[in-house]
């Protein structure tokens, strides 16, 4: 029972140290406390954990659940270690890149954010184009990165990177893609009507609109005053308080809300120790998008910070990420509940057009994830012929979103390890979880002190079970419906 020359217990302790250090480096860099992102030293120090021999040995030990989780961890990091130079190069280039726009220069990340709030259509179009030009500059690195992912997966005995991800996660991406394609077909008509109506309200037509136009239409800062920046943290405390969770007593949960020039504009959750030290990091500006993003991360943070410290590392740090994403979606959805707004932000009534707009964003995101999954499967199978795939990306995205996509984004928009599949599964899990909470505690379950108890019981279990297994357990006897039906329901009901 030795992995990379280590005993099983030693190996697991080492996995935990490695993940903690990596997470801490990520926190420091993304929070703007440190300019560079240096993981080389960490990967070198723990190289034994995902050496070829350790990975091959772990691949043979997948008979039980912890074994499967550990093998998945080791194999993915075996790849990541060998493409880390490219990962860092791309990240550093993006960080340093400037977008030329309106005669001035803007840092790349803030330009991406600017796209949400630029009201002038012509300017928005120019900015979108300028961003795509910057993205295109790193595409050769991205192509190389994907080629290496495939090559290393084959060296480990898998037929390609898709097969590698499928075998290790136990999730059939193939079957999921068939389901999500049906979801796209069945909802196309309703989606088309919703998008057309939303665009028309802003004087835009479906034929000429781009993804940036659609994002602006739904994200336009119309409701900013309802979501004041200075109430973000107190709203978290009152929300949790109503569920019977006292935020002030969660000593392992930390918030970093301090503004820093290089802080990453998107909120994120960083577990440095699970459950001992969990960070929620945000560069708060206020507004609906900020609240949605913050509460999403709070959902992750509550999950991680409640995990039973006695569980093995395979259940605390590793396992099915769709479980944690599901908890994050449940918290995120609170922000757009009328009763939640009343209780936490003293907003007397939830504006109907705000609910509509957010549902459209959610819907569009699910359709984009479905397209991204299909694109990822095709890309990794064809061994990445870039000239061919950029147009294919735009085609699949346009079929799914019905608005124009930039072909240059074809690899920028791609996620490692088919994370789009994780989101799709998480949306279904979140629907089941909320259904369970409603049936146990009523429509206003989030105002019940029992909610914290009920969720806490699930949180404590970490990521031992998959999202599907947990959903099944919560609603026993409910006939398993095909995933596409559940997604249709999740988006339309
Ligand atoms: Zn998340």
């Amino acid at each position: 029972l030795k992995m990379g020359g280590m005993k099983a217990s030693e190996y697991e302790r080492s996995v935990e140290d490695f993940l903690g250090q990596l997470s801490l480096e990520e926190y420091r860099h993304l929070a703007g406390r440190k300019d560079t992102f240096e993981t080389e030293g960490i990967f070198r120090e723990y190289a034994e954990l995902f050496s070829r021999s350790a990975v091959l040995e772990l691949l043979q030990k997948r008979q039980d659940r912890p074994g499967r989780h550990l093998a998945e961890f080791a194999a993915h990091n075996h790849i990541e270690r060998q493409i880390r130079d490219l990962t860092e190069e791309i990240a550093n280039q993006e960080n340093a890149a400037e977008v030329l726009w309106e005669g001035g220069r803007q840092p790349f990340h803030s330009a991406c954010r600017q796209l949400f709030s630029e009201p002038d259509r012509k300017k928005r179009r120019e900015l979108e184009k300028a961003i795509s030009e910057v993205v295109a500059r790193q595409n050769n690195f991205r192509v190389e990165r994907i080629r290496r992912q495939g090559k290393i997966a084959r060296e480990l005995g898998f037929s390609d990177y898709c097969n590698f991800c499928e075998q290790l996660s136990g999730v059939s991406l193939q079957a999921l893609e068939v389901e999500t394609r049906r979801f796209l077909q069945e909802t196309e008509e309703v989606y088309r009507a919703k998008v057309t109506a939303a665009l028309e309200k802003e004087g835009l037509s479906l034929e000429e609109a781009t993804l940036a136009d659609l994002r602006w239409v739904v994200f336009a800062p119309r409701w900013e005053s309802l979501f004041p920046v200075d109430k973000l943290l107190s709203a978290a405390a009152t929300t949790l308080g109503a569920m019977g969770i006292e935020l002030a007593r969660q000593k392992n949960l930390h918030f970093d809300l301090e503004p820093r020039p290089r802080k990453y504009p998107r909120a994120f959750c960083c577990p440095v120790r699970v459950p001992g030290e969990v960070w929620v990091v945000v560069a708060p500006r206020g507004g609906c998008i900020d609240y949605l993003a913050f509460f999403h991360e709070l959902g992750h943070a509550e999950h991680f910070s409640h995990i039973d410290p006695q569980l093995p590392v395979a259940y605390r740090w590793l396992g099915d990420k769709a479980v944690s994403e599901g908890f994050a979606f449940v918290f995120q959805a609170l922000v757009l509940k009328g009763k939640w707004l009343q209780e936490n932000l003293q907003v007397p009534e939830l504006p109907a057009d705000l609910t509509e707009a957010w549902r459209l964003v959610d819907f569009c995101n699910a359709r984009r994830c479905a397209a991204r999954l299909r694109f990822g499967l095709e890309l990794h199978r064809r061994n990445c012929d870039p000239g061919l795939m950029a147009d294919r990306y735009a085609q699949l995205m346009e079929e799914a979103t019905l608005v124009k996509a930039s072909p240059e984004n074809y690899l920028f928009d791609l996620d490692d390890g088919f994370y789009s599949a994780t989101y799709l599964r998480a949306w279904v899990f979140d629907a089941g979880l909320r259904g369970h909470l409603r049936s146990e505690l009523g429509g206003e379950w989030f105002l019940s002190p029992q909610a914290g108890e009920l969720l806490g019981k699930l949180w404590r279990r970490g990521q031992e079970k998959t999202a599907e297994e947990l959903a099944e357990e919560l609603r026993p006897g409910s006939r398993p419906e095909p995933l596409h039906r559940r997604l249709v329901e999740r988006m339309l009901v």
Side-chain angles (χ1 to χ4, degrees):
L1 273 151
K2 287 191 170 190
M3 282 157 282
M6 278 183 265
K7 278 188 199 147
S9 58
E10 237 180 286
Y11 186 87
E12 284 176 39
R13 216 170 19 248
S14 228
V15 168
E16 185 157 17
D17 289 344
F18 165 74
L19 289 169
Q21 286 199 31
L22 202 59
S23 203
L24 187 61
E25 176 65 16
E26 195 174 81
Y27 162 62
R28 285 183 183 141
H29 173 66
L30 292 176
R33 288 169 171 266
K34 191 169 172 286
D35 285 349
T36 52
F37 184 45
E38 294 158 289
T39 56
E40 168 71 38
I42 304 171
F43 271 90
R44 204 184 318 115
E45 189 182 340
Y46 293 93
E48 277 186 87
L49 290 180
F50 20 80
S51 66
R52 188 179 156 79
S53 62
V55 171
L56 291 175
E57 194 181 334
L58 283 159
L59 287 174
Q60 299 303 316
K61 288 188 182 145
R62 286 184 288 163
Q63 293 82 3
D64 61 5
R65 217 178 268 264
R68 287 198 291 278
H69 292 184
L70 285 167
E72 187 180 17
F73 156 83
H76 275 285
N77 281 292
H78 175 71
I79 292 188
E80 185 49 38
R81 196 190 152 213
Q82 295 174 71
I83 59 174
R84 210 195 36 78
D85 54 334
L86 293 165
T87 310
E88 277 184 13
E89 184 64 38
I90 294 163
N92 289 332
Q93 285 203 15
E94 277 176 8
N95 258 340
E98 286 179 321
V99 174
L100 300 173
W101 186 57
E102 294 216 289
R105 290 163 186 277
Q106 259 202 59
F108 177 72
H109 289 304
S110 79
C112 292
R113 196 173 164 125
Q114 175 82 26
L115 257 185
F116 291 138
S117 48
E118 174 50 58
D120 185 284
R121 182 166 172 265
K122 201 167 150 274
K123 288 185 187 173
R124 205 157 56 223
R125 194 60 53 83
E126 285 163 10
L127 182 58
E128 202 173 15
K129 208 167 150 266
I131 289 172
S132 294
E133 279 164 16
V134 172
V135 166
R137 271 184 239 148
Q138 290 102 43
N139 275 348
N140 53 341
F141 294 116
R142 297 192 180 98
V143 169
E144 178 55 23
R145 207 172 162 271
I146 284 158
R147 286 202 177 123
R148 276 202 226 163
Q149 284 175 332
K151 184 171 173 281
I152 302 164
R154 287 190 298 277
E155 283 167 2
L156 288 174
F158 299 91
S159 56
D160 54 35
Y161 185 69
C162 310
N163 178 253
F164 169 88
C165 293
E166 276 190 326
Q167 294 292 322
L168 288 163
S169 66
V171 173
S172 168
L173 297 170
Q174 208 59 259
L176 192 63
E177 197 273 316
V178 172
E179 286 288 316
T180 52
R181 206 186 297 185
R182 288 193 65 180
F183 158 69
L184 287 178
Q185 283 161 0
E186 281 186 28
T187 56
E188 178 164 342
E189 210 178 308
V190 189
Y191 176 75
R192 183 182 297 274
K194 283 179 189 286
V195 173
T196 309
L199 288 168
E200 269 171 7
K201 251 192 231 167
E202 302 295 326
L204 295 161
S205 76
L206 192 58
E207 287 68 37
E208 54 178 358
T210 65
L211 187 60
D213 290 334
L214 182 57
R215 280 182 175 168
W216 186 79
V217 165
V218 287
F219 284 127
R222 292 185 199 92
W223 306 284
E224 301 310 84
S225 61
L226 304 184
F227 300 93
V229 64
D230 56 340
K231 282 196 177 173
L232 201 60
L233 203 53
S234 63
T238 50
T239 303
L240 291 164
M243 293 183 192
I245 300 165
E246 218 180 311
L247 185 59
R249 292 182 63 174
Q250 285 193 276
K251 299 293 179 208
N252 52 348
L253 187 50
H254 308 273
F255 294 90
D256 179 337
L257 293 122
E258 217 179 291
R260 278 178 216 106
R262 287 184 182 277
K263 201 169 189 178
Y264 193 60
R266 273 174 56 183
F268 61 95
C269 170
C270 235
V272 173
R273 280 181 291 139
V274 180
E277 184 183 349
V278 180
W279 285 85
V280 176
V281 188
V282 55
R285 294 184 173 194
C288 183
I289 304 303
D290 246 23
Y291 269 71
L292 287 163
F294 175 75
F295 275 84
H296 178 100
E297 301 310 325
L298 184 65
H300 280 302
E302 287 299 331
H303 177 217
F304 291 130
S305 63
H306 274 86
I307 294 177
D308 181 352
Q310 304 300 323
L311 287 179
V313 66
Y315 299 156
R316 276 182 296 123
W317 277 95
L318 312 175
D320 185 7
K321 292 191 168 63
V323 172
S324 194
E325 291 299 344
F327 292 127
F329 282 138
V330 168
F331 265 63
Q332 181 177 313
L334 290 175
V335 172
L336 292 179
K337 282 183 173 294
K339 190 71 182 167
W340 184 90
L341 276 169
Q342 266 175 30
E343 293 289 318
N344 296 286
L345 297 176
Q346 291 71 51
V347 174
E349 208 181 338
L350 173 68
D353 49 354
L354 171 56
T355 322
E356 263 306 296
W358 176 249
R359 291 179 67 109
L360 184 56
V361 174
D362 222 23
F363 201 171
C364 178
N365 282 342
R367 293 181 63 93
R368 287 176 67 210
C369 273
R372 210 183 280 147
L373 170 60
R374 182 166 175 190
F375 174 70
L377 286 168
E378 289 188 9
L379 178 89
H380 286 288
R381 295 243 153 97
R382 286 190 199 173
N383 213 6
C384 199
D385 181 341
L388 202 71
M389 295 312 282
D391 287 340
R392 180 66 177 148
Y393 163 80
Q395 186 195 358
L396 286 172
M397 271 301 155
E398 285 171 12
E399 279 171 17
T401 62
L402 303 179
V403 292
K404 290 190 174 54
S406 309
E408 296 88 347
N409 288 356
Y410 76 122
L411 300 176
F412 178 65
D413 198 17
L414 192 73
D415 36 26
D416 277 351
F418 293 92
Y419 209 77
S420 47
T422 305
Y423 280 134
L424 287 160
R425 294 173 49 243
W427 271 308
V428 173
F429 174 51
D430 129 271
L433 195 53
R434 283 191 280 157
H436 175 67
L437 286 160
R438 275 195 305 272
S439 74
E440 293 290 307
L441 306 171
E444 286 169 4
W445 60 265
F446 50 92
L447 298 177
S448 161
Q450 285 159 282
E453 228 172 277
L454 199 156
L455 284 167
K457 269 187 200 154
L458 294 169
W459 289 335
R460 270 191 280 287
R461 295 163 64 186
Q463 297 189 138
E464 173 182 357
K465 296 280 172 77
T466 65
E468 288 79 7
E469 286 170 333
L470 272 185
E472 211 52 55
E473 194 186 301
L474 293 177
R475 322 194 84 186
S478 66
R479 269 172 58 113
E481 248 188 301
L483 184 126
H484 80 272
R485 288 295 334 150
R486 294 198 231 182
L487 260 185
V488 171
E489 261 171 53
R490 165 71 173 75
M491 295 303 154
L492 295 183
V493 177

